[in-house]
Amino acid sequence: MTPQVTDHKGGVWSIAVPIPDNPLGHTLVHLLETDRGPVLIDTGWDDPDSWATLVTGIGACGFAPADLHGVLITHHHPDHHGLSAKVREASGAWIAMHAADTAVVRRTREAEPGRWLDRLTARLATAGAPDEHLAPLREARAQGRGRKFPGQGAALPDRDIGPGELLDLPGRRVRAIWTPGHTPGHVCLHLEEEHPSGRVGGFGRLFSGDHLLPGITPHIGLYEDPEALEDPEGAGGPQDAGDPGHPGYPGYPEGATVPDPLGDYLDSLERVGRLAPAEVLPAHQHAFTDAGGRVRELVAHHEERLRRLRELLREPRTPWQLAMAMEWNRPWEQIPYASRNIAVSEAEAHLRRLVKQGQAERVPGSDPVRYQAV
């Protein structure tokens, strides 16, 4: 199949790399020409068809995989970082990522097989998931399934992307913008060069990863979700889900610094809005202008969602009950099994924001944990 390759001019290309069995359809892997050879921004999902599409797409841009000089990863999710090991094997290219996401990759690679199922089951139970939802997870663990987790085959990055850093890309000016929220180490990359059309307002082009998308609200969940396999020992992450921990958050010891992913995301959005790029080149959907307008839409969306959640919390609810009552793109009954886990994580991230703002609190002694408006 001929890949969809777009020439964005000025030595910037995008290749639509398919994501198998996913409504997103594809990841837009960007290729940036430099004086030392092409550099990829993200790589796509680790799948034979995806790899074949990426190789063909690189050829359509006028290069071979062996020509690749480096890879910049916006964040650790498998539809962005999945093919990094194959790219490195084919080219010897360096791979760079923010240290916070590199730590997640390292823990994922080193995790005991099946451990992510244990963590996911425990966290969902704490969030109030019913037995019928937990039963398939427990059965999978008992049967030894779930031994392979997406991302365990991804390469361990060998370079860090530092916030505000002007990256070492000869002939180009690319600055890293740390934008935590979707993941703790998500970065956007600002190409600090005039837009090739010369007619677009704003300055430069922004490779936005999943931080800023034209028609999708990026998922904002908890950084310590079992899917990320956070290690509680020495990494500042949560303890076992059964630990009474921090009175506001199960699994956190008293006095621990509790991450606020939604707060991080909203702060990051404001930072990108002030940047005012002429064009945004996201990892999904399509390129677009008016980054500031899209930022305002997303901020308003989350503010409205927080307001509605506070109304729902007039009566105590578990995170699972809250997720069931929230507005999604389809009724709860139609949301697929795995997507419900993501929905609960998003509900918990919004709960955490309300608690931090003093607008909600945990019901003392509740098990499973419940929250209520203050």
Side-chain angles (χ1 to χ4, degrees):
M1 182 179 68
T2 303
Q4 179 183 339
V5 176
T6 302
D7 182 0
H8 295 278
K9 307 302 181 183
V12 176
W13 305 75
S14 65
I15 306 166
V17 177
I19 310 172
D21 302 319
N22 190 295
L24 279 175
H26 58 260
T27 300
L28 292 174
V29 173
H30 290 91
L31 184 147
L32 177 68
E33 299 178 30
T34 81
D35 289 348
R36 288 187 189 165
V39 169
L40 292 184
I41 299 173
D42 292 333
T43 62
W45 190 277
D46 185 6
D47 176 81
D49 289 342
S50 302
W51 172 245
T53 300
L54 179 62
V55 170
T56 303
I58 292 171
C61 297
F63 302 96
D67 298 327
L68 294 172
H69 171 56
V71 180
L72 298 166
I73 302 294
T74 61
H75 62 295
H76 71 78
H77 287 163
D79 56 323
H80 297 257
H81 185 42
L83 284 171
S84 55
K86 286 185 172 63
V87 170
R88 175 185 279 165
E89 181 180 358
S91 64
W94 49 259
I95 299 173
M97 180 185 286
H98 188 281
D101 271 22
T102 295
V104 176
V105 173
R106 182 179 293 108
R107 290 192 289 274
T108 302
R109 289 165 55 91
E110 297 172 354
E112 176 189 351
R115 177 171 174 251
W116 71 276
L117 273 177
D118 295 335
R119 295 292 301 275
L120 177 58
T121 303
R123 180 163 292 282
L124 286 169
T126 301
D131 286 341
E132 57 265 28
H133 187 85
L134 300 175
L137 297 173
R138 291 169 176 153
E139 181 181 355
R141 187 65 167 104
Q143 294 179 358
R145 288 182 277 138
R147 296 181 64 84
K148 180 173 174 56
F149 186 79
Q152 285 185 315
L156 188 66
D158 47 29
R159 294 190 182 186
D160 287 343
I161 298 178
E165 176 186 0
L166 187 63
L167 302 177
D168 182 17
L169 301 176
R172 311 307 299 245
R173 283 189 61 87
V174 179
R175 191 173 303 278
I177 312 297
W178 184 33
T179 50
H182 185 59
T183 70
H186 191 290
V187 294
C188 294
L189 303 165
H190 189 205
L191 183 59
E192 297 180 337
E193 301 170 10
E194 290 293 340
H195 195 282
S197 74
R199 299 188 302 272
V200 182
F203 175 68
R205 291 182 276 183
L206 186 74
F207 300 98
S208 65
D210 280 0
H211 181 68
L212 197 61
L213 303 172
I216 298 173
T217 302
H219 166 65
I220 308 299
L222 297 185
Y223 293 152
E224 67 275 15
D225 271 358
E227 291 90 337
L229 294 172
E230 295 281 1
D231 186 349
E233 297 179 2
Q239 298 179 0
D240 290 339
D243 181 3
H246 193 286
Y249 306 99
Y252 275 89
E254 183 70 46
T257 300
V258 180
D260 175 16
L262 181 55
D264 290 346
Y265 180 65
L266 294 172
D267 289 345
S268 299
L269 279 178
E270 296 287 359
R271 190 157 57 250
V272 166
R274 291 194 299 271
L275 195 64
E279 187 177 30
V280 180
L281 302 173
H284 302 289
Q285 298 189 297
H286 54 82
F288 64 100
T289 56
D290 192 16
R294 184 59 180 145
V295 164
R296 289 189 292 273
E297 290 175 356
L298 289 167
V299 170
H301 164 80
H302 285 289
E303 288 178 345
E304 176 62 14
R305 171 162 276 192
L306 289 169
R307 185 191 66 78
R308 291 179 179 176
L309 294 191
R310 193 163 183 271
E311 291 181 354
L312 289 172
L313 290 173
R314 289 173 180 171
E315 62 178 76
R317 297 178 190 259
T318 66
W320 181 273
Q321 291 169 334
L322 191 63
M324 289 183 64
M326 289 169 66
E327 293 185 9
W328 305 102
N329 61 1
R330 68 189 84 177
W332 181 259
E333 295 75 19
Q334 297 177 17
I335 295 178
Y337 179 91
S339 297
R340 292 186 180 190
N341 301 334
I342 297 173
V344 171
S345 177
E346 185 142 339
E348 290 180 301
H350 284 75
L351 270 171
R352 186 166 292 181
R353 184 68 182 154
L354 288 173
V355 171
K356 185 170 183 178
Q357 292 176 325
Q359 298 185 53
E361 63 183 7
R362 183 183 179 186
V363 177
S366 57
D367 183 20
V369 60
R370 286 178 170 79
Y371 292 86
Q372 62 187 4
V374 175

